[in-house]
Amino acid sequence: KVTSIAEFTFTGCNGLGSVQFGENSQLKNIEQYAFTGCSSLASIVIPDSVTSISENAFENASEDLVIYCNEGSYAQTYATENNIKYTTLVIDPIENQTYTGEEITPEGNASANNRKLTQDTEYSVSYKDNINAGSAKAIVKGLGDFKHLAATAQFTILPQGTKNIHVVSDNETYSPDGVKPKIYVYNGGQRLVEGQD
């Protein structure tokens, strides 16, 4: 439930190699000189909840310092503006897919710090809106050392091309009130489902 890393908290702490906050961190501020002179600090995970970092919070820290953060976060902006290396979870672009009537689950290859990660060990993938034609999402969440990172990639499900559309109906017996025969629509050899296709 820590909301702020106060001034000088870890100043000169040469044995500090990495810092990581919990998944539900409420941290908002990292004050001035909080990590000044931390010569062994190689990585710090900065959660999305952080909205303020002092310009000199990492003064004279290790030149190898890498900030782990999510794409578009305040921490990414801070790292860019202060010439600090950072890494986010990056998902390779996903090619257009074609509608099949079933869930489409293309591979969502991910990397962090220019290193390809291993699915189910270092990240997991879930999907949203991935059945019907239109825009779908692959949601990648880091696992283990990368559990603080997440990213989303959009991909398009294209309508299935028409092969040979034909319509078949049941035979009906004459009725003075009219008839409503059952209609069957086929695309090639595939029978389409009413209300879905």
Side-chain angles (χ1 to χ4, degrees), residues 91-96 129 135-139 152-156:
I91 307 172
D92 291 349
I94 299 174
E95 293 183 1
N96 292 341
D129 302 324
S135 183
K137 291 180 181 177
I139 302 158
T152 301
Q154 288 195 327
F155 62 96
T156 300

Side-chain angles (χ1 to χ4, degrees), residues 126-189:
S126 60
Y127 299 89
K128 186 175 181 184
D129 302 324
N130 63 324
I131 296 178
N132 293 323
S135 183
K137 291 180 181 177
I139 302 158
V140 176
K141 293 186 178 178
L143 301 173
D145 291 341
F146 301 95
K147 68 181 179 182
H148 50 280
L149 298 178
T152 301
Q154 288 195 327
F155 62 96
T156 300
I157 300 175
L158 301 172
Q160 187 181 67
T162 56
K163 298 172 185 170
N164 181 16
I165 296 289
H166 62 278
V167 179
V168 178
S169 66
D170 289 338
N171 292 327
E172 295 288 339
T173 305
Y174 168 79
S175 168
D177 297 327
V179 295
K180 292 184 179 177
K182 180 70 178 167
I183 302 294
Y184 304 95
V185 180
Y186 291 85
N187 180 23

Side-chain angles (χ1 to χ4, degrees), residues 1-6 9-10 19-31 34-35 44-53 58 68 74-75:
K1 296 184 179 179
V2 171
T3 59
S4 181
I5 305 297
T9 300
F10 297 102
V19 176
Q20 184 169 329
F21 300 93
E23 289 183 58
N24 300 314
S25 174
Q26 298 175 26
L27 184 69
K28 291 182 172 40
N29 307 305
I30 299 177
E31 303 294 340
F35 295 97
I44 181 169
V45 176
I46 300 183
D48 290 348
S49 57
V50 172
T51 56
S52 173
I53 304 173
F58 298 97
Y68 285 77
Y74 175 83

